[in-house]
Amino acid sequence: MPGVALTLVLLASGAAALLHESAWFRLLTPLLGAGALPAAAVAAGALLGMAIGARLGGRLADRTGRPFAVLVAAEVVAAVLGYLVPPALDGIAVRAEGPAAWAMATALLAVVAVPWGASVPAALRALAPDPASTGRAFKGLYAWNTLGAVTGIVVGATFAFEALGNRGAVHVASLLQLGAALVAFSLAMQAKRPPRTPTPPSVTSFVRPEGAVPLLVASALAGAVGVVVQVAWMRRLTPHLGATYPVFAAVLGVHLVGIALGTWLFGPRAARAPRRAIFLLTWIAGALVAISPWCLAPVLDAVADAWWDSSGTPMVLFLWRAAIATVLVLPAVAPASALLAWWVRLREPPTTATGGESGGLLAANAMGGAAGGFVAALVLIPAVGTAGALVVAAGVLFVAGALSLRGAPRAVTALVGLLVVGIAVFRLPSDQA
């Protein structure tokens, strides 16, 4: 029963977070202009805040031994801070403009997103899985939280903003977070305080626990790859699919679907060898990311004259854009998304350290994502175009996977990754997009 209730909490939390993010994008457009600046502010602020929250929230859940209380506090604080964002952005618009306004808005959104990051680590600590089951438990929680985020994107793009406006959607998001806090509070009232003594490693373990630093670096690189792929496809599809926000919503929504499905379908299972799975997922995902730019023209040609493109209905237009993004983005995203859960599995943290260990990997992943967004927008795409950026991302993904392998598979995978990056930088012609 606690598992079902935690699923509801994470679904609502994820939906609320993406409703907030979508509203931020729309609220920032009058302040920063249409295009990359509001998207960069939202992505950087949300990812940096979530990184801090995951690290601090996971550790707090471990140290206090009261993960449900941490979860309640995170959702309540998130609701209050999210509610205050629109008037705070109004204040920034009065006092600043240009780079100063962008920096202030990004810092504000980072603070607001801090409690979002605490949800999954605290929920995982509340489940208290044994070490060998931690990856599987993390997989389920992370997938449901991401599926909630997809719901938030779809509701915002197809209904909430048209019916309620930006501020009304923010209010709905805050109410969702308060509802999640109430469910978590009811669980906190029923829960006994878990022991704080370390739990010995499980005898069912398949592997010796992996060192933290290589997995943290791998998680950061994978997070950077994910955001590079998202930014590159948003840039590539905007000229073909119309206005910036609908394309932003469609690509982000499909990206999140890929994360949820990939984590759930390809994440840890009881009888799977972790490094073998990581090796296969790395090679499949790397190959799919590398070839994805050359799939663009056939897909767009196939739907160029679709009758629903001019219908004007928000739901139909969103689904049309999402369908195109699905064909191009989903295959490249889904296999790579499962790597994070496998890295949690490799760490095999004791039960009393699941919050901190998972929070650390999530924090590294989010920080890498923030860095990847800046690198993609400011360096990669201007230098080698979107196709080159996607091929570089494929090479970096090979390197990330190699960090969690051993022996010949590690050496070969890393070498292939470096070769792919080199080809993209020195040989692949720019596509000027």
Side-chain angles (χ1 to χ4, degrees):
M1 184 63 183
V4 175
L6 281 173
T7 295
L8 294 175
V9 170
L10 293 179
L11 274 170
S13 179
L18 265 295
L19 264 179
H20 279 302
E21 279 196 51
S22 299
W24 297 348
F25 183 92
R26 294 165 65 94
L27 289 166
L28 282 171
T29 298
L31 176 62
L32 302 178
L37 282 179
V42 171
L47 288 170
L48 289 172
M50 290 172 67
I52 296 169
R55 188 62 173 164
L56 297 180
R59 286 187 168 187
L60 188 62
D62 289 339
R63 290 180 179 178
T64 62
R66 297 185 180 275
F68 287 115
V70 173
L71 192 55
V72 171
E75 296 300 329
V76 171
V77 172
V80 174
L81 292 179
Y83 185 85
L84 296 175
V85 165
L89 290 178
D90 289 341
I92 291 174
V94 172
R95 293 173 176 81
E97 60 183 15
W102 184 89
M104 292 173 67
T106 302
L108 168 68
L109 301 184
V111 171
V112 175
V114 167
W116 299 359
S119 297
V120 172
L124 183 63
R125 178 65 178 84
L127 285 181
D130 66 82
S133 301
T134 302
R136 193 161 69 251
F138 175 87
K139 173 190 76 172
L141 296 174
Y142 189 60
W144 282 112
N145 187 239
T146 308
L147 187 60
V150 175
T151 304
I153 281 282
V154 173
V155 169
T158 61
F159 166 74
F161 294 117
E162 290 289 331
L164 305 172
N166 297 331
R167 294 169 191 263
V170 167
H171 298 164
V172 169
S174 291
L175 287 174
L176 274 174
Q177 288 164 324
L178 290 176
L182 285 174
V183 176
F185 180 76
S186 69
L187 292 172
M189 293 295 97
Q190 302 169 26
K192 296 180 180 179
R193 185 169 180 170
R196 298 179 66 179
T197 55
T199 301
S202 169
V203 296
T204 61
S205 172
F206 289 101
V207 294
R208 185 163 48 87
E210 186 70 28
V213 173
L215 296 186
L216 289 172
V217 175
S219 183
L221 291 177
V225 167
V227 177
V228 168
V229 170
Q230 181 183 322
V231 171
W233 277 116
M234 179 183 167
R235 173 70 178 271
R236 195 70 179 87
L237 290 174
T238 296
H240 300 281
L241 302 185
T244 301
Y245 171 70
V247 177
F248 168 81
V251 173
L252 179 57
V254 169
H255 193 94
L256 292 170
V257 169
I259 292 174
L261 285 178
T263 301
W264 183 256
L265 294 175
F266 307 124
R269 296 283 193 275
R272 235 179 238 178
R275 289 193 178 85
R276 183 183 303 169
I278 290 169
F279 179 79
L280 291 173
L281 288 170
T282 299
W283 280 77
I284 292 170
L288 289 172
V289 173
I291 67 172
S292 63
W294 289 274
C295 301
L296 176 66
V299 171
L300 291 177
D301 289 344
V303 298
D305 298 322
W307 61 269
W308 50 81
D309 185 23
S310 58
S311 69
T313 305
M315 172 69 82
V316 174
L317 290 174
F318 174 79
L319 291 177
W320 176 73
R321 294 180 175 102
I324 295 172
T326 297
V327 174
L328 295 168
V329 179
L330 189 63
V333 171
S337 301
L339 289 172
L340 182 59
W342 280 109
W343 290 327
V344 173
R345 168 71 179 85
L346 275 183
R347 278 297 291 159
E348 290 192 351
T351 301
T352 51
T354 51
E357 293 286 355
S358 63
L361 287 169
L362 281 168
N365 192 256
M367 289 293 289
F374 285 115
V375 170
L378 301 178
V379 180
L380 278 180
I381 293 176
V384 296
T386 53
L390 288 166
V391 175
V392 169
V396 173
L397 187 59
F398 276 107
V399 174
L403 289 171
S404 53
L405 300 174
R406 290 178 178 169
R410 167 181 256 182
V412 172
T413 304
L415 179 60
V416 168
L418 294 174
L419 287 174
V420 170
V421 172
I423 291 171
V425 173
F426 298 109
R427 293 288 184 183
L428 190 71
S430 172
D431 59 2
Q432 301 302 317

